[in-house]
Amino acid sequence: EDKVVQSPLSLVVHEGDTVTLNCSYEVTNFRSLLWYKQEKKAPTFLFMLTSSGIEKKSGRLSSILDKKELSSILNITATQTGDSAIYLCAVGTFNNAGNMLTFGGGTRLMVKP
Amino acid sequence: DTEVTQTPKHLVMGMTNKKSLKCEQHMGHRAMYWYKQKAKKPPELMFVYSYEKLSINESVPSRFSPECPNSSLLNLHLHALQPEDSALYLCASSQRDRDSAGYTFGSGTRLTVV
């Protein structure tokens, strides 16, 4: 059974801090690893990673995939209160039914002023 | 058009009602999905349609009935729901082929069963 685990479960930091969120996986037929940010509505896409060792960056957020270690990290530098959200990691796999997505349990980030 | 559109955004229904959730995409994606998300939990897969055929049903109760009338539309028919079915229902779509790895989510329907 495909499995995605995120850590920590929750995190409280102060504005300006840097945080690192972790995602590890055990899946069959890996295709991609995706990071989402979720506030009160549907998940918002952040990054999709398919190649190991290549960092993706968007403003203060960056992410990298390590296929050897079956893991990924999401870094947020100079955190702001608007970064408070649940961050979801999902791993895409491919089988006869198509592209499947297995979610981790999420990391709840709270950024205090 | 790079969006998945879900309607309605909010729905309140009684346990004896029949209602439907709708999902539409015009990206040519041939795989479409329904997910259910309870508060403080990650999305859970309910159904997968591949080329308009139901390919996965994750042991979902029969009070949820999916339908894929064509390659752009996905419906979820609801009947005799329970209060514990209250959740955010998310639709997603993706390419069907092996070389594509991206997903697009709709904004969701927040369902409350009273």
Side-chain angles (χ1 to χ4, degrees):
Chain A
E1 185 180 333
D2 293 342
K3 191 175 172 185
V4 179
V5 177
Q6 290 185 246
S7 64
L9 290 178
S10 65
L11 197 52
V12 180
V13 300
H14 287 93
E15 275 192 314
D17 288 350
T18 293
V19 297
T20 298
L21 310 183
N22 301 286
C23 177
S24 62
Y25 61 90
E26 291 178 36
V27 301
T28 306
N29 295 326
F30 173 91
R31 295 298 300 151
S32 60
L33 187 143
L34 300 96
W35 284 98
Y36 291 90
K37 177 183 181 182
Q38 186 170 29
E39 296 169 270
K40 292 187 178 176
K41 294 190 175 180
T44 303
F45 173 78
L46 295 174
F47 298 111
M48 182 173 77
L49 305 157
T50 55
S51 300
S52 197
I54 298 176
E55 185 182 49
K56 292 231 173 165
K57 204 169 170 59
S58 176
R60 297 177 292 104
L61 277 66
S62 64
S63 183
I64 195 161
L65 175 67
D66 186 337
K67 281 187 173 180
K68 192 175 174 185
E69 295 297 325
L70 305 183
S71 66
S72 173
I73 59 171
L74 174 69
N75 279 321
I76 309 175
T77 59
T79 51
Q80 301 171 357
T81 54
D83 295 326
S84 297
I86 296 173
Y87 290 83
L88 294 167
C89 170
V91 174
T93 58
F94 184 88
N95 60 29
N96 290 335
N99 284 310
M100 307 301 301
L101 208 59
T102 302
F103 281 89
T107 293
R108 183 180 292 275
L109 174 66
M110 181 181 291
V111 181
K112 291 188 171 180
Chain B
D1 187 352
T2 57
E3 289 188 349
V4 174
T5 303
Q6 286 188 246
T7 55
K9 293 196 185 312
H10 300 274
L11 178 63
V12 179
M13 62 184 288
M15 289 188 282
T16 58
N17 291 159
K18 284 185 182 181
K19 296 286 184 183
S20 297
L21 308 185
K22 296 186 185 303
C23 174
E24 190 168 0
Q25 57 88 15
H26 296 287
M27 294 177 281
H29 289 174
R30 300 309 296 273
M32 296 184 76
Y33 312 79
W34 281 115
Y35 285 83
K36 174 182 177 179
Q37 187 176 23
K38 300 282 282 182
K40 300 184 181 181
K41 297 284 187 183
E44 294 178 357
L45 183 65
M46 300 175 72
F47 302 104
V48 179
Y49 271 83
S50 179
Y51 290 106
E52 296 89 68
K53 287 187 173 24
L54 183 64
S55 57
I56 290 184
N57 175 342
E58 291 285 0
S59 303
V60 179
S62 60
R63 57 186 184 269
F64 295 91
S65 174
E67 179 198 17
C68 190
N70 60 54
S71 60
S72 299
L73 293 174
L74 185 66
N75 298 321
L76 186 62
H77 302 299
L78 314 172
H79 174 55
L81 294 194
Q82 303 296 310
E84 60 264 28
D85 296 321
S86 299
L88 179 68
Y89 288 84
L90 295 163
C91 175
S93 70
S94 72
Q95 294 286 7
R96 174 63 180 84
D97 55 278
R98 175 178 287 277
D99 292 332
S100 179
Y103 255 63
T104 304
F105 277 94
S107 57
T109 294
R110 192 164 293 282
L111 174 69
T112 304
V113 181
V114 297

